[in-house]
Amino acid sequence: MASVEKVPMLQEGYEKLSTQLSALKAERPLIVDAIEEARAHGDLSENAEYHAAKERQGQVEASIGDLEDRLSRAQIIDPTTLSGDRIVFGATVTLADEDDKPVRYQIVGQAEADAKDGRISYNSPLGRALIGRRIDDEIEVTVPAGDKYYVVTKIEFL
């Protein structure tokens, strides 16, 4: 049974998922056409085109179901309406690493996460370690590259 737990995300993430959903729904008739064309070639037991089209149909339907579920449970959060001295979903955080080099991350939903762009999921090891912290808090987090140490230097709601 699907969870009824809300899925926090920014407006941008909601729009990204909606766009993916629309693209998948637009692909449905194309897949049906491919299945019909492959079926017209005769014996289905050895028809690779038919099996590939049916497999793609299953993937698309599963993805549509997943996206519809996440969008129905979406809790859109606007970081500009937030404030406070603790790190919460949507906050942009500046940290000092072991070398006092500043790194900046925004805490976002899983669909929006892109570490290269400084956007980390609230479910990531660092994201979980940051939630609830304040300026000058020290954070130790274990990531695939090993243990990392940070100090929170700034919390913004942009």
Side-chain angles (χ1 to χ4, degrees), residues 13-58:
Y14 186 87
E15 290 168 6
K16 179 180 173 184
L17 292 180
S18 295
T19 300
Q20 289 174 1
L21 179 61
S22 295
L24 288 172
K25 284 184 173 183
E27 191 176 341
R28 276 176 164 165
L30 302 175
I31 294 171
V32 170
D33 291 345
I35 290 171
E36 290 302 318
E37 183 178 327
R39 190 178 281 154
H41 292 134
D43 184 11
L44 299 181
S45 64
E46 294 184 20
N47 188 329
E49 292 168 354
Y50 174 79
H51 293 290
K54 288 297 281 183
E55 185 175 320
R56 179 65 186 150
Q57 183 180 38

Side-chain angles (χ1 to χ4, degrees), residues 48-116:
E49 292 168 354
Y50 174 79
H51 293 290
K54 288 297 281 183
E55 185 175 320
R56 179 65 186 150
Q57 183 180 38
Q59 292 168 342
V60 166
E61 292 303 324
S63 294
I64 286 172
D66 178 56
L67 289 170
E68 286 177 338
D69 176 57
R70 290 199 293 181
L71 288 169
S72 72
R73 295 183 296 123
Q75 177 183 5
I76 299 172
I77 295 173
D78 180 0
T80 61
T81 64
L82 304 173
S83 63
D85 63 348
R86 290 188 179 272
I87 298 171
V88 295
F89 182 94
T92 299
V93 184
T94 304
L95 309 170
D97 66 10
E98 293 111 347
D99 304 322
D100 278 335
K101 182 179 153 216
V103 290
R104 188 172 171 184
Y105 296 111
Q106 183 178 25
I107 312 295
V108 297
Q110 291 172 306
E112 305 148 301
D114 185 353
K116 291 186 297 285

Side-chain angles (χ1 to χ4, degrees), residues 3-20:
S3 168
V4 293
E5 180 181 320
K6 290 289 184 188
V7 179
M9 63 182 68
L10 302 177
Q11 182 65 37
E12 178 182 321
Y14 186 87
E15 290 168 6
K16 179 180 173 184
L17 292 180
S18 295
T19 300
Q20 289 174 1

